[in-house]
Amino acid sequence: MTIKKAVVIGAGVMGAGIAAQLANAGIEVELLDIVPEGLGPQDDQSVIAKGAVEKLLKSKPAALMHKDFAKRIRPGNTKYQMKCLADADLIIEAVIENPKIKSQVLKNIDAHRKPGSIVGSNTSTIPLATLGSDQSAAMQKDLMITHFFNPPRYMPLLELVSSDKNDAKSVQKLARFMDEKMGKTVIHCQDTPGFIANRVGTYWLTVAMNAAMEAGLTPEEADAIVGKPMGAPKSGVFGLMDMVGLDLMPHISDSLLKNVPKGDDYRNVHRNVPLVDKMIEQGFTGRKGKGGFYRMVKANGQKQLNVIDLYADTPVYRDVQKPKIDAVKRAKKGGLRALVDGDDKYSQYAWTVLKKTLCYAAIMVPEINDDIMAIDDAMKLGYNWSKGPFEMLDKIGVDWFIKKLEAEGETVPPMLKAAQGKRFYQTQNGKLERLMPNGEYKTVERADGVLLLSDIKRASKPVASNPSAKLWDIGDGVLCLEFTSPQHSLDPLIMHMMNKARRKIESGKNDYKALVIHNEGTHFSVGANLMLAQMAGKAKQYWAIDKIVKNGQDTYKKLKYANFPVVGAPHGMALGGGCEILLHCDAVQAHAETYTGLVETGVGIIPGWGGCGEMLMRAMDDPKTPNGPMPPVAKAFETIAMAKVSPSAAEAQSIGYLRPTDGVTMNKARLLADAKAKALKLADGYTPPTPKMFSLPGPAGRAALQMAVDDMYDRGLVSSYAVALTDQLANVLTGGKNADTGVKISEDTLRDLERRAFMRLVRDPRTRQRIDHMLATNKPLDMNKEFLEKDRAVKSSVTTAELRGSLKGAFDLVGKRYRNHKAIAKKLAPSTQAAARLIKRAKKKR
């Protein structure tokens, strides 16, 4: 039996989020909640669930990977629609964290479900034994804990708790579904209080908050230490509690206090904080409330971040002050050991938190799990730590840590003693191993369908390498190109490696037959290395920039038309030149969380490595694009001019960055294996694509596009530089001054137009200022706030609808006055600027 239909009971934040992720996975799902008291027969009985779906469509970050996926969620209620459980394969309850309420809900589920359906309880702390204690034997057989982390779409961890009463095949089926379809890293947990992540994570949060108050630190001081320097999210502990919700923390704490063993150190570190109780009473529950330890307020029309006074009797806020802490500076160079090895109060605070947390994690072995890797993965995936506790111990030095504990008279946990003189992780014969409680090492085994580049790198040497890229043999005649430059920014060395990979495969040696482009960093690529353009621009060495652009165009073109298939396997951000790589691939196998786009207009340029022509081809091939020479041009113009970035792989397919035939992998750990399989399938009988010829509208189309932008300029929607920038883009997409609907334009001609336009823009000081701003702040300079005439008021942003409306108006006007674009071209003045003015004057006469 496969899981085709699901029901989620409880339409709160977690329940709705789980339903959204089920919909993202392609599953039809019923979302049920109670009928509110006081409703009459004529009222909507499913108002809670319907409201939850409406919130999903507006949520930020988006819970749905595509708005159309909301159609897979059917809202209902538990009073009249429990009959829908009869054909559900998976039922997940996500009601309030209260054993009595959950018990009653589970009994209601049992009365309506079909035999053998899997039931999951989304609980963060309640043991499975407690939940199943008063349930039927049939329910106990099918009931498991499926602990999602918030937000369910973005947090990859799923803690799965089963018992010896469960059917082993059902457990395996559920784990496989959560892994492959829902994109989760499934960690099988023992039935202990808080399972893994919340057991260690709640202890960490409690210790960090208490120690901060004992040391007299402010929230921003504590977060500056316990955040990024320790490998935790930059939000730190107080910011993280705001995200989780202060009102949820007491429920977790109460459950742990009721269930952890008597000697557990959580009982010793836990304490009630009167200020937090008052914050919850007054609605300061975190980001979902009026604020928490931090809150955002408006002052004089500007947003201002405030922070609470930890030592006041009632919630009192002040402006956030960025702390300057020497220990944090030391940690940037010396790591964890430099952070904690000092006599000042900040280093002592860091040591207190680190010492107690790492020792607690070690004590938890084997109680919560006998595999240290499960604990490390749970903390990385559930709490966004960059390293798990045992990886931290390896980083700081196990023996150094033990020696420091002994010097303070602290007890050394048995698991730490087992690692004395060793490491918790080691590589042996090209295989990763982790230390077990018995002091022996055990090899890390991957699940079927999981291929990690990190494992390949442990077991082999690169086929070729340079400072910015490496080429790896991933087996079966497939090479993998990995970017290793900072943020995987693209530079001439990466282009060199692409060409080397192409030559190696085309040579026929070593039986190579396909190429996959992939890496395991945070992002696929942030685009071209702008620093090279900045340096060349300041030195006025424009020939160097021209050479880089031409080299990129030639490299991408040769890769596109090579005699072997190329598959892109992106994840995270794939921007600018990184997006252009994907546009030139034969196919893409993208992680579901791929955020791709041509963002060049944000720094005052246009795509320069063939992206304009590729987007034009995508628009022409799209069956939804209306017939005629202008609609594909308008679609590509809108996408590039607006610097659209897809918020998911599914949205990338709608925009056109990905084809409908490109694949989407939900679990990032399976991405490389899926991409390799796609490459091997394409390699069987592969033939390169045929170069395309374009019929483009030429100057008439350029005039129409420019008129649309002029209209927006007249309405105060865009700046004067946006007019100049989009004019260059329009010239490329319409084929240049010699183009016409009866003339065939080659891809090479478009690339040449693209490169020339790119170079004109690079020479503009306004472009260079945007590049400088991006490099300094990592944010685009707002095109509509800079370089404006003093007497003009310009909006801070332009919507897609506004641009689309202006384009339609311009095209309609052109169509009414002249029968075809050729006639327009003959009528208009030779220059595009004059042509635009002529059409505008014609518009005014009407």
Side-chain angles (χ1 to χ4, degrees):
M1 182 181 72
T2 58
I3 295 175
K4 296 181 180 179
K5 179 183 174 183
V7 176
V8 176
I9 297 180
V13 173
M14 282 301 298
I18 293 168
Q21 187 64 3
L22 285 161
N24 291 335
I27 305 299
E28 297 293 323
V29 55
E30 310 277 350
L31 178 62
L32 310 182
D33 209 306
I34 60 171
V35 175
E37 293 182 6
L39 290 187
Q42 74 283 359
D43 295 321
D44 189 344
Q45 308 295 298
S46 303
V47 63
I48 294 179
K50 287 182 179 179
V53 175
E54 290 174 3
K55 288 179 181 177
L56 287 176
L57 288 166
K58 299 175 182 177
S59 65
K60 292 183 179 181
L64 291 161
M65 293 178 180
H66 196 292
K67 288 190 175 182
D68 287 352
F69 293 171
K71 297 173 184 176
R72 296 171 182 163
I73 306 174
R74 292 184 291 274
N77 63 79
T78 54
K79 186 173 183 179
Y80 300 108
Q81 290 167 289
M82 290 294 284
K83 59 184 179 182
C84 70
L85 273 66
D87 60 349
D89 307 304
L90 172 64
I91 303 155
I92 296 176
E93 70 80 9
V95 301
I96 189 171
E97 195 81 351
N98 182 306
K100 291 183 179 179
I101 295 175
K102 284 184 178 289
S103 174
Q104 188 56 49
V105 169
L106 290 172
K107 288 179 180 178
N108 197 13
I109 290 172
D110 199 21
H112 292 88
R113 72 188 181 101
K114 66 180 179 182
S117 58
I118 297 174
V119 181
S121 174
N122 183 66
T123 175
S124 57
T125 57
I126 304 172
L128 179 60
T130 301
L131 291 172
S133 60
D134 59 348
Q135 302 297 322
S136 69
M139 173 60 92
Q140 290 178 0
K141 181 182 178 183
D142 298 325
L143 176 63
M144 289 170 255
I145 286 175
T146 50
H147 180 209
F148 291 83
F149 283 71
N150 193 36
R153 171 182 165 182
Y154 300 97
M155 299 301 287
L157 176 62
L158 182 112
E159 292 184 322
L160 179 60
V161 182
S162 58
S163 72
D164 55 6
K165 295 179 181 179
N166 292 126
D167 178 65
K169 290 183 179 180
S170 294
V171 176
Q172 185 181 18
K173 182 176 77 171
L174 180 60
R176 188 170 61 251
F177 171 79
M178 291 296 176
D179 171 355
E180 297 176 10
K181 297 294 185 181
M182 296 284 277
K184 299 301 173 187
T185 297
V186 178
I187 295 182
H188 292 268
C189 300
Q190 295 173 192
D191 194 18
T192 54
F195 318 123
I196 296 176
N198 276 345
R199 182 72 173 273
V200 177
T202 304
Y203 179 90
W204 166 66
L205 289 172
T206 304
V207 167
M209 183 171 72
N210 292 346
M213 297 181 74
E214 289 169 2
L217 303 184
T218 64
E220 54 266 62
E221 286 176 327
D223 288 343
I225 296 164
V226 181
K228 288 187 71 175
M230 274 196 193
K234 64 180 181 180
S235 60
V237 289
F238 291 98
L240 180 59
M241 284 189 278
D242 280 352
M243 285 190 283
V244 172
L246 270 64
D247 55 335
L248 181 61
M249 298 303 294
H251 293 287
I252 296 174
S253 297
D254 290 346
S255 181
L256 286 175
L257 290 171
K258 288 177 183 176
N259 292 291
V260 296
K262 288 184 178 181
D264 194 282
D265 196 44
Y266 181 72
R267 296 184 181 276
N268 299 324
V269 300
H270 176 267
R271 67 189 64 172
N272 289 320
V273 181
L275 176 63
V276 173
D277 294 337
K278 290 177 182 178
M279 289 171 68
I280 295 171
E281 288 174 9
Q282 296 179 27
F284 294 102
T285 55
R287 294 190 180 182
K288 63 183 177 181
K290 298 189 298 183
F293 292 107
Y294 297 93
R295 69 172 182 178
M296 192 68 73
V297 296
K298 279 190 175 182
N300 300 320
Q302 300 291 324
K303 288 184 177 180
Q304 177 67 46
L305 186 63
N306 284 180
V307 64
I308 204 162
D309 182 349
L310 279 179
Y311 308 101
D313 294 331
T314 58
V316 177
Y317 289 87
R318 59 169 174 78
D319 290 347
V320 166
Q321 297 176 354
K322 188 175 181 179
K324 295 181 180 179
I325 301 171
D326 288 339
V328 173
K329 293 179 182 178
R330 294 197 306 269
K332 289 181 180 180
K333 291 185 178 180
L336 278 175
R337 192 182 294 189
L339 178 69
V340 302
D341 197 15
D343 296 327
D344 58 284
K345 67 176 181 179
Y346 300 113
S347 290
Q348 291 303 305
Y349 170 66
W351 170 244
T352 298
V353 175
L354 197 68
K355 172 182 68 174
K356 295 182 80 67
T357 302
L358 298 187
C359 284
Y360 189 75
I363 292 169
M364 290 298 102
V365 181
E367 181 187 337
I368 61 174
N369 207 296
D370 62 359
D371 190 339
I372 62 168
M373 193 169 178
I375 298 174
D376 279 344
D377 286 349
M379 296 311 299
K380 289 188 291 185
L381 301 173
Y383 277 75
N384 276 333
W385 288 11
S386 61
K387 288 182 172 57
F390 298 99
E391 291 171 326
M392 284 190 203
L393 283 163
D394 275 351
K395 187 74 174 176
I396 202 171
V398 174
D399 290 349
W400 182 90
F401 189 81
I402 291 174
K403 186 177 179 180
K404 194 167 175 64
L405 285 180
E406 292 174 338
E408 295 182 358
E410 300 280 3
T411 302
V412 179
M415 191 64 205
L416 263 174
K417 287 182 179 179
Q420 194 162 12
K422 298 187 267 188
R423 295 174 56 84
F424 283 102
Y425 294 92
Q426 68 174 20
T427 299
Q428 192 72 20
N429 298 322
K431 296 284 189 179
L432 179 63
E433 298 179 339
R434 76 278 199 199
L435 188 68
M436 302 305 290
N438 62 5
E440 296 180 359
Y441 286 96
K442 186 176 181 181
T443 301
V444 174
E445 301 291 343
R446 307 296 182 190
D448 290 340
V450 172
L451 176 64
L452 300 182
L453 191 56
S454 55
D455 288 342
I456 298 289
K457 291 159 74 172
R458 285 190 190 93
S460 63
K461 293 182 179 180
V463 174
S465 68
N466 65 38
S468 294
K470 286 183 171 63
L471 202 58
W472 300 93
D473 186 337
I474 59 174
D476 301 310
V478 180
L479 288 178
C480 178
L481 175 63
E482 177 197 23
F483 307 147
T484 59
S485 56
Q487 294 188 298
H488 302 143
S489 60
L490 304 170
D491 58 26
L493 287 173
I494 287 178
M495 300 300 168
H496 176 75
M497 189 58 68
M498 284 187 188
N499 285 309
K500 180 172 279 192
R502 175 180 54 80
R503 290 192 296 269
K504 279 187 175 293
I505 299 174
E506 287 185 333
S507 71
K509 296 178 181 179
N510 302 105
D511 295 323
Y512 295 134
K513 52 191 173 184
L515 177 68
V516 171
I517 303 176
H518 172 72
N519 61 67
E520 289 179 350
T522 304
H523 300 293
F524 179 71
S525 174
V526 297
N529 187 338
L530 290 176
M531 192 171 292
L532 297 177
Q534 182 192 49
M535 293 168 62
K538 286 183 177 179
K540 299 189 182 302
Q541 300 293 306
Y542 296 113
W543 63 268
I545 300 176
D546 187 77
K547 185 176 181 181
I548 290 172
V549 175
K550 184 68 166 63
N551 182 35
Q553 286 185 342
D554 292 345
T555 300
Y556 284 13
K557 175 188 172 182
K558 289 174 182 177
L559 212 58
K560 178 179 179 178
Y561 293 111
N563 64 6
F564 59 88
V566 180
V567 175
H571 63 280
M573 291 192 293
L575 304 178
C579 178
E580 288 177 292
I581 290 175
L582 304 179
L583 293 175
H584 286 80
C585 289
D586 293 280
V588 174
Q589 185 70 34
H591 182 228
E593 299 298 345
T594 296
Y595 319 119
T596 188
L598 298 173
V599 296
E600 286 84 353
T601 57
V603 288
I605 52 178
I606 64 170
W609 286 336
C612 295
E614 293 299 320
M615 287 306 296
L616 198 51
M617 278 186 268
R618 299 290 175 99
M620 290 176 173
D621 293 340
D622 186 352
K624 295 180 182 178
T625 304
N627 294 326
M630 280 305 294
V633 172
K635 183 174 181 180
F637 180 83
E638 176 189 310
T639 300
I640 298 171
M642 296 294 293
K644 289 184 179 180
V645 176
S646 70
S648 67
E651 285 280 7
Q653 289 178 315
S654 293
I655 295 171
Y657 293 133
L658 299 182
R659 306 177 186 88
T661 54
D662 287 330
V664 177
T665 297
M666 290 293 283
N667 192 327
K668 186 178 173 182
R670 297 181 174 275
L671 179 59
L672 182 56
D674 289 350
K676 177 183 173 182
K678 185 179 287 287
L680 288 170
K681 185 176 180 180
L682 289 172
D684 187 11
Y686 177 78
T687 54
T690 303
K692 193 176 184 70
M693 300 297 288
F694 300 88
S695 295
L696 298 172
R702 180 181 182 182
L705 291 171
Q706 195 57 46
M707 190 186 74
V709 178
D710 282 347
D711 174 64
M712 299 181 74
Y713 175 76
D714 288 341
R715 289 189 286 136
L717 298 177
V718 299
S719 70
S720 58
Y721 190 59
V723 177
L725 173 61
T726 53
D727 180 46
Q728 293 299 319
L729 176 62
N731 186 51
V732 176
L733 293 175
T734 56
K737 65 180 181 180
N738 297 321
D740 188 83
T741 53
V743 176
K744 293 295 183 182
I745 301 292
S746 69
E747 290 182 35
D748 284 340
T749 299
L750 275 185
R751 290 189 188 95
D752 188 53
L753 286 168
E754 180 186 76
R755 181 169 56 85
R756 292 184 182 188
F758 186 98
M759 293 309 300
R760 290 190 196 101
L761 292 166
V762 164
R763 286 182 170 89
D764 195 305
R766 296 171 293 185
T767 289
R768 294 201 299 273
Q769 186 165 351
R770 281 168 170 76
I771 291 173
D772 291 345
H773 186 275
M774 174 63 80
L775 289 171
T777 66
N778 205 30
K779 293 180 181 178
L781 183 65
D782 193 330
M783 190 177 296
N784 299 327
K785 287 183 178 178
E786 300 293 327
F787 313 117
L788 307 175
E789 289 90 351
K790 293 180 180 178
D791 59 345
R792 295 182 59 80
V794 177
K795 288 176 62 175
S796 63
S797 62
V798 179
T799 66
T800 299
E802 287 168 336
L803 177 57
R804 194 172 293 160
S806 290
L807 288 172
K808 185 178 184 301
F811 299 154
D812 287 347
L813 179 65
V814 171
K816 288 175 183 176
R817 188 168 177 81
Y818 305 105
R819 292 184 180 181
N820 57 59
H821 293 86
K822 191 172 184 179
I824 298 171
K826 290 179 179 179
K827 183 71 178 177
L828 294 179
S831 74
T832 303
Q833 290 81 0
R837 285 196 296 272
L838 279 174
I839 297 180
K840 287 182 71 176
R841 281 200 293 272
K843 180 180 179 182
K844 288 179 180 178
K845 287 179 181 179
R846 278 183 177 77

